[in-house]
Amino acid sequence: MTNLGDLEIFSRVVTTGSMSAAGRALGLSPAVVSKRIKRLEERLGTRLLQRTTRQISLTEAGQGFHARILGILAGIEEAEAFVSGRAGAMRGVLRISAPTSFGRLHIAPHLMPFMEANPELTVNLVLTDDFSDIVGEAFDLAIRIGELEDSSLVARRLAPVRRVLTASPAYLKRRGAPAAIADLAQHICLPPHNQDVWRLEGPEGAVAYRPQGTLITNSSEVVREAVIAGMGIALRSTWDIGPELRDGRLVQVLPQYEGSRNVVLSAIYASRQFLPAKVRVFIDYLADLYGPTPYWEHGQLPG
């Protein structure tokens, strides 16, 4: 039978990305961690990790094995917390994937209170605009902005996402303000690469508009800076440009139209059945922080 300690060491190597980091988290030397991983692989009769001088990655067998032991380790963690009466004391590593801009603006500034309340918990926050493979990349949860899709993953809605068409006063003075959706064809639009179609809702219901522009970028932050600089019209979330709308650096264009209300902010995780306490507590923290009317809508930070 496989030693449960070996499973924890293996999982920690996956989440931290190195044997030395896993050793520091567990109070073990890198040599001991390497020996335990080798013992586990020999017992299973297969290689779980690919090792190079620069990085460690999961083999195909390692990916499947890791996905299956997560529930086991989470169940043990929950059982220990229940028996010890320390359900509120979170321990271990919490690995989170989040969109780059949102994570920088609305997760990172609020980590300190959460981490002070859970001093034994290490937070590994990975910012990326790609949709991470939660199971394959060993994330405990992912924060995503988009329409919820049917999948094997579990999603919890955290907050609504309001998106508006916006431009700078300088751009509108130079090019004029559009009076109807059709007028956008005479303007420079600034869509990120993943917004080939702007899905809007207006007086006539749902509207799909394909924007055209001369700036092509895979960076949402580049689009944000471009619209503030007066390069064109963009569809932006209020969590991203709230301060600029309030101080007048940006103004709303075609205010009768907004982005689809099906786009929401959600926490995504692998399984409802084996949800670790550390994941549940962090999701609850964000849900309370943002609320049904997020603070960025009225410009007041949570107190």
Side-chain angles (χ1 to χ4, degrees), residues 43-79:
R43 183 178 295 114
L44 295 173
T46 188
R47 182 176 292 276
L48 301 174
L49 299 171
Q50 294 285 7
R51 306 165 180 84
T52 68
T53 56
R54 292 188 175 184
Q55 65 178 6
I56 292 176
S57 59
L58 286 166
T59 64
E60 184 177 353
Q63 290 179 357
F65 184 69
H66 185 250
R68 286 161 176 78
I69 67 170
L70 286 177
I72 296 171
L73 296 174
I76 293 173
E77 181 181 318
E78 291 279 8

Side-chain angles (χ1 to χ4, degrees), residues 13 23 49 68 72 105 173 239 290:
V13 170
L49 299 171
R68 286 161 176 78
I72 296 171
L105 292 171
K173 182 178 180 180
W239 60 257
Y290 303 144

Side-chain angles (χ1 to χ4, degrees), residues 19-24 28-36:
M19 293 193 183
S20 58
R24 287 194 298 270
L28 301 173
S29 70
V32 170
V33 172
S34 179
K35 183 178 180 180
R36 297 283 290 272

Side-chain angles (χ1 to χ4, degrees), residues 147-163:
E147 296 188 19
L148 296 180
E149 300 178 354
D150 292 334
S151 73
S152 59
L153 302 174
V154 181
R156 176 175 170 185
R157 176 175 169 148
L158 297 177
V161 173
R162 191 166 73 94
R163 296 175 301 148

Side-chain angles (χ1 to χ4, degrees), residues 225-245:
E225 296 307 312
V227 71
I228 293 172
M231 290 183 63
I233 297 173
L235 179 65
R236 305 301 298 170
S237 298
T238 53
W239 60 257
D240 191 34
I241 58 165
E244 289 75 19
L245 287 173

Side-chain angles (χ1 to χ4, degrees), residues 41-124:
E41 290 177 326
E42 289 175 348
R43 183 178 295 114
L44 295 173
T46 188
R47 182 176 292 276
L48 301 174
L49 299 171
Q50 294 285 7
R51 306 165 180 84
T52 68
T53 56
R54 292 188 175 184
Q55 65 178 6
I56 292 176
S57 59
L58 286 166
T59 64
E60 184 177 353
Q63 290 179 357
F65 184 69
H66 185 250
R68 286 161 176 78
I69 67 170
L70 286 177
I72 296 171
L73 296 174
I76 293 173
E77 181 181 318
E78 291 279 8
E80 289 179 345
F82 172 77
V83 172
S84 66
R86 297 183 63 203
M90 302 299 108
R91 290 173 290 174
V93 177
L94 178 63
R95 185 167 159 82
I96 308 160
S97 172
T100 303
S101 296
F102 187 86
R104 177 174 58 82
L105 292 171
H106 300 293
I107 296 180
H110 307 298
L111 284 178
M112 183 179 291
F114 177 79
M115 297 180 73
E116 286 179 340
N118 300 278
E120 297 182 51
L121 187 64
T122 297
V123 174
N124 183 349

Side-chain angles (χ1 to χ4, degrees), residues 194-209:
N194 61 349
Q195 282 186 2
D196 294 333
V197 176
W198 285 347
R199 303 193 183 281
L200 307 169
E201 294 184 14
E204 69 271 45
V207 176
Y209 179 77

